[in-house]
Amino acid sequence: MGAYTPLPSTAAVARAEEFTRERFIYEGETAAEALAPGSARRRALDAALAELDAGTKEPSIEWRRRFALLLGLERLLSEEEPRLVDGTVLSAHQVDALSGTLTALLAEAQRSNGNGSGNGSAPVAPAELPELASSAIPGEEDEDEEFEDEEDEPDEEPQDWQDEEDVDPDIVIDEQPEDPNAARRFWFEHATGAGKTVAALGFVEASRTGGVLILTHRRNLVDQFHGELRDRGYSKRISPALLDGRDSANGPVTVETYQWFVRNAGRVSDAYTIVICDEAHTALGEKTSAAIRRWAGPVFVGMTATGALIARHVTDLFPTQTSRFDLAQAARRGVIAPLRCIRIPPGPGVRTIAKVPLRRGEVDTEFDQEMLAELLDQTPFNMAIADLYKTRFNGVPGVVYTAGVRHAYNVAHSFRELGMKAQAVSGETPKRQLARILADYESGKIDVLINAQLLAEGWNSPRATICMHLAPTASKRIYQQRVGRVTRRHPGKEAGIVVDFVHPATKHDDPVVTLHSLLDRDVYRGGAIVVGPVRRGRGRRVRVERRVLPVTPDPDRRAEVFERELWRIAVDHLDYGEQHVWAALAGARVAPNGWRRAKAMLHFDRGGELKRRFLLTAVQRNRNAQLRLRALQEIAASRDAEAFDTAVDIMAGWPRDERREGVKIMLQALAERRIGRRDEANAWIWRLAEYTREVHEEYAIQRWPETKRLLGLLVNSSGGAHARNARRLVHATRKEDRRLSAALLAAALAHTPEAEEALRGARTRMARKPAALARDLLRNFPKGRRGKSRRRKPQTQAGGAGNGAVRQPRSTAAQPVSAPGTKNGIEPDLLDDDVELDEPDLLDDIDDIDDIDDADDIDGADGADGADGADGADGADDIDDGTAADDGPSEDVLTEAFEKKADNGELPPLDPSSRVDVEDTVADALAEVTRAVDRNAEEAA
C-alpha cells in the first residue's frame, strides 16, 4: 500500500452496509482492526463507497462477484451458532464446508492484492467470453425439455490437432492460460444423508445480493431442491433462469440441470455469483466440464458424497477441497444411521460373475451390464432372492438394485408372487407414475423398490432400511451412492442393512465392491455393525454371527486378525493354506479350557489333515505339558502312521520326565492297536525304548544282576571287542524270558556298525509281535500312584480302640479275593496305575488275532526255513515265555494256581475276556516278588 489511508467515517460505513446488506464491523471489533488497509473487507468497503459516489442504486455485478460471498460467509460464521433463515442450526461438518470456502476466498483475495489481477477476480465482459454454441434446436427454448439429442449434435469440443494446410506459419499465437478460473472452483465431500443440501443452503444464506445457480443431474432433483428451499424459508428467492444479460441484485436462486447449463452456455446471466454443482462427479463429462471452465466469472462450489473415490477426476475440475466428512466419520458421529452388513454366497449358476468383463467408463470401471443381466436374470434365482427377502426381512422397507430394467421388473414379479408389496421403477417409468410410486413407498403402501440404477442418486427416503446389491458393481462410487439410500435416520430404524451377494471370505482385491472393501475394514462378522456406534437392544433386525473372517488382502493385517481373533475365526471359510495356518496357531496357543472348542472348530475336516496339523503343532510348540501329552494321546488314537512317526521325532526334544510319560502313551497305543506296517512299528518301539534306556536298564539290573556286567563290558569296549560283547549280550538274551530280553536289548548302546548290526538283528527277531513287545517294554516303567498315599489304620476289636488293639486275622475263605481297591485279588501297590492294560483290544495283541488277516504278519512267514516262530539262523524258538531259568515261580505256575482256586470256588470263575488282566497281573506280581527277593539278597550280602 502507498500512503496512509484514513478510516471511513461511521456514517460512510453505515451507508455501505445498507447498500450491500452486509456488515463491515462486528461486535467486539474496532474499526482499525476490521478495516485495516489492504484487507478484503476494507477493499469491499472502498469499492462500495465508490459505487455509491457514482450514484449506483445497487451493488454492481463486479462487486457482487468479488465480495458478496466473502462478506456473507464472514457474517454467517461470526454467529455463535450459524443457522438458516428458518432457524435450522448448521452442524459442525456443514460449518466446515462454509469456513473452508471462506478461507480459500480470503487466500485468493490476498493473492490478488486488491489490484484485480487475481485469477477470475476481475469481471469479464460478456463479449470477451469465448462463445460456446448452444446444442439445442434453434428456436426451442423450453427449459423443462430433457437433453435427449446431445448424441446427435456434432462434437463442439476444440480439436487437439489441425490439418497442416490450415496452419499459417507466420502467425504467432500467444500462450493462453489452461484454466483461468481454477482458483475460484472448490469442492467438499459429505456422506450421503449427512446434509449436503443444508450445506448448500448455507451458501444461499451467505449470498444476499449475488445470484445462486444450483445445478443437478436429474430433473426430479430440481423439484427436490425447490421443495427444500421452500421448507427452509427461501421460497421468495426462487427465480426462473436468468439469461441474456438479465440481472437481479436480490440474491435470486435458480435450480437447473447440467443438460440445461450445457445447452445455454454463453447465455447464462452474470448475475449468478455462485454456482453450486450437486453431485459434482456427474459434472466431469467433456461438455459439462468444458462449459464450466469457460465461464470465468462466478465462484463454483462442487459437493459430492464420493469425491474420495474419484478424487483424481474431481480435482481436475475443482482443484481445492474445502471439507471432508466421509461415510465413516458421519456414522461414528451419529449424523447418519449405523450400517450392518450381511454376505450371502451366490448360487452355483451365479458364481461365473468372475467371467463378466469390466468396461472402463469416463470416471470409473464397471461390469458389462448386458452380460451381467444375461447371467443374473434367471427365474430360479429371482424366486430364491424373493424367498430370501421374505424369510429374513419380511415387512422391512428396502431397495433392491438389479442388472438392467428387465431384470428389475422380473424380480418385482417374483416378489409379488410371494405376497410382498414390491414395485419396479426405471427411467422408462412415466414421471407421474414414478412420483406416485415413491409417495406410496413413503406412506408404507410399498415396502420394496426394485430398480437398476434410477434410485442410486438423488432419491432420499429415510424409511429405507435394506440395501440389497442383487447386481454387483465394480465401482466404489456407484456402491457408495447405493448405500447412501439407507443411511438417513428414521424413527424405529436401528441401522441400515447392506446385503452383499458374495462369499463371506471375499477380500478387498476382488473386483466386486463390498461394504467392507469400501470402508477398508479388516474383519467381516455377519450382521454386525460395520461403521457407526453400537446401540444394543434397539430394534436389531438381523442375527449377529459369532464367527469372524479376515477380508483385508494385506498379509500383515490378516496376520494381525489371526493373532487378535484366533478363536472366533470361521475356519471353514478360509483358504486351504490359511486353514493350515490357523490349525498351527491354534495348536501352539490352545489352553486346557479351550481344547474341545479348538477341535470343534475343525468339524468340517473330513480328511483329518487340519486336525493332524493342530495336534502335531500342539505336541511341538504348546507350552502346556499336559496338553502336549493329550495331543500325543489323540495322535496315537488316530492310528495315523505319518503323524505317529512325526510325533515320535518331536518327543526326542522333550524334557526327561515328560518324554518318559510320552513314551508310555505311545507304547500303550502300540500295544492296544495296530498302527502302520510291522517294520514301522518295530522302528518306533526301539526308538521309544532308546528315549527311556535308563528305565529298561534299571529293570534288567534288578531282574538279573549279570546285566550290569554285560552292559559295562559293552560300553567300555571298542573295536572288535565291542562287537563280541554285543554278540555275547545278544546270546544272553536268548536264555531269558521275553520281557527281560527286551529290557536288555533296549538298554544296550552300540558304538560300532558291527555291534549295531548284531543288536538290530536281535531286536528285529524280538519285534515279530510288535504289540507284545510294546507291552513288555511298558511293564518296565516304575509303578505310579494316583493321588497321595494314605496309611491304612489298624483294625481293632469290637468295642475296643487305642494303640493296643489287636488286628483281626483275615480269613480268605470268608471274604472274596477281589475286594474294593484291589484288582483280581492283587493289591493296588503291585499294579501299574499309569498304564491301562484292561481293554479288550489287548486280547487281540496277545493271541495275535488281528495279524491273521495279513499274510505278512503271520509268525514264521518271514523266517529263513518257513517254520513257525523260526529264528532264521539256527531255528531256535524265539518265544521265551516261561522257559527262562529264574529263582521264583514261573508265570504258568501262578496262572494254574489261580485257575485251580477258581475251580474250587475260592475265586470267581475267569472270564475269557479277562485273560489279559490275569496274565498282566500275574506278570506284575512275579516281577514284584523277584525284585523283593533280589533286594533282600543284596541287603544280606
Side-chain angles (χ1 to χ4, degrees), residues 34 119 183 193 234 236 386 461 485 487 490 496 507 541 573 596 612 636 652 655 797 800 817 840 869 913:
N119 289 339
Y234 298 99
K236 294 182 178 180
S461 175
R485 302 314 107 196
T487 57
H490 187 68
K507 303 177 184 177
R541 297 181 180 272
H573 289 308
R596 295 180 60 186
R612 181 194 307 139
Q797 295 180 356
V817 176
S913 63

Side-chain angles (χ1 to χ4, degrees), residues 71-389:
L71 294 180
L73 289 175
E74 283 190 336
R75 167 181 47 80
L76 186 60
L77 297 175
S78 65
E79 301 176 6
E80 184 176 352
E81 290 185 344
R83 61 186 68 229
L84 302 180
V85 68
D86 67 336
T88 301
V89 178
L90 300 182
S91 59
H93 61 280
Q94 294 163 346
V95 173
D96 288 343
L98 301 179
S99 61
T101 305
L102 174 61
T103 302
L105 288 174
L106 289 173
E108 192 272 337
Q110 291 296 332
R111 285 195 301 269
S112 67
N113 199 20
N115 56 12
S117 62
N119 289 339
S121 59
V124 181
E128 298 175 2
L129 287 173
E131 187 76 16
L132 180 64
S134 173
S135 60
I137 300 175
E140 183 174 356
E141 301 296 336
D142 187 3
E143 297 178 357
D144 293 333
E145 176 188 357
E146 293 294 328
F147 185 52
E148 300 173 351
D149 300 329
E150 181 177 343
E151 297 84 358
D152 299 332
E153 296 296 324
D155 189 3
E156 301 177 20
E157 300 298 325
Q159 295 178 344
D160 296 333
W161 51 271
Q162 281 184 314
D163 294 335
E164 295 183 358
E165 59 270 21
D166 296 338
V167 178
D168 188 349
D170 296 333
I171 297 178
V172 178
I173 302 177
D174 296 334
E175 183 178 357
Q176 299 293 330
E178 295 182 359
D179 197 353
N181 201 42
R184 293 174 66 83
R185 291 200 294 270
F186 317 105
W187 71 286
F188 64 89
E189 176 187 0
H190 284 180
T192 303
K196 292 192 301 294
T197 304
V198 176
L201 297 186
F203 288 98
V204 173
E205 173 63 24
S207 180
R208 289 181 172 176
T209 57
V212 180
L213 177 61
I214 301 176
L215 298 177
T216 186
H217 64 298
R218 287 181 181 168
R219 176 59 57 181
N220 64 322
L221 298 183
V222 174
D223 300 333
Q224 181 175 311
F225 263 105
H226 281 157
E228 195 72 22
L229 287 168
R230 296 186 183 97
D231 295 341
R232 301 293 181 181
Y234 298 99
S235 57
K236 294 182 178 180
R237 295 183 57 179
I238 298 176
S239 169
L242 303 178
L243 300 174
D244 301 324
R246 292 177 55 190
D247 188 17
S248 175
N250 295 322
V253 180
T254 303
V255 186
E256 281 294 348
T257 63
Y258 287 111
Q259 292 89 341
W260 173 90
F261 177 69
V262 171
R263 288 201 309 269
N264 293 278
R267 299 179 53 211
V268 182
S269 172
D270 293 332
Y272 296 115
T273 60
I274 308 171
V275 179
I276 298 176
C277 299
D278 184 33
E279 305 293 351
H281 55 274
T282 62
L284 304 181
E286 293 183 6
K287 293 187 177 181
T288 304
S289 60
I292 291 175
R293 293 178 193 275
R294 294 185 181 187
W295 195 11
V299 172
F300 285 85
V301 178
M303 56 183 188
T304 179
T306 58
L309 306 178
I310 51 174
R312 182 179 62 84
H313 303 278
V314 174
T315 53
D316 287 344
L317 185 59
F318 302 94
T320 305
Q321 184 175 5
T322 59
S323 174
R324 182 183 180 188
F325 192 63
D326 59 17
L327 189 68
Q329 292 174 321
R332 282 195 297 267
R333 292 188 186 180
V335 176
I336 62 176
L339 291 177
R340 297 182 182 272
C341 182
I342 299 174
R343 291 186 172 187
I344 299 177
V350 188
R351 292 178 182 175
T352 53
I353 185 68
K355 299 181 180 180
V356 178
L358 297 172
R359 306 298 184 192
R360 181 175 297 277
E362 292 183 351
V363 177
D364 46 18
T365 304
E366 181 60 296
F367 289 110
D368 186 288
Q369 295 302 301
E370 294 183 0
M371 294 187 64
L372 191 64
E374 182 180 354
L375 176 67
L376 296 179
D377 193 5
Q378 305 174 19
T379 301
F381 180 64
N382 297 340
M383 293 299 298
I385 296 302
D387 182 71
L388 170 70
Y389 197 103

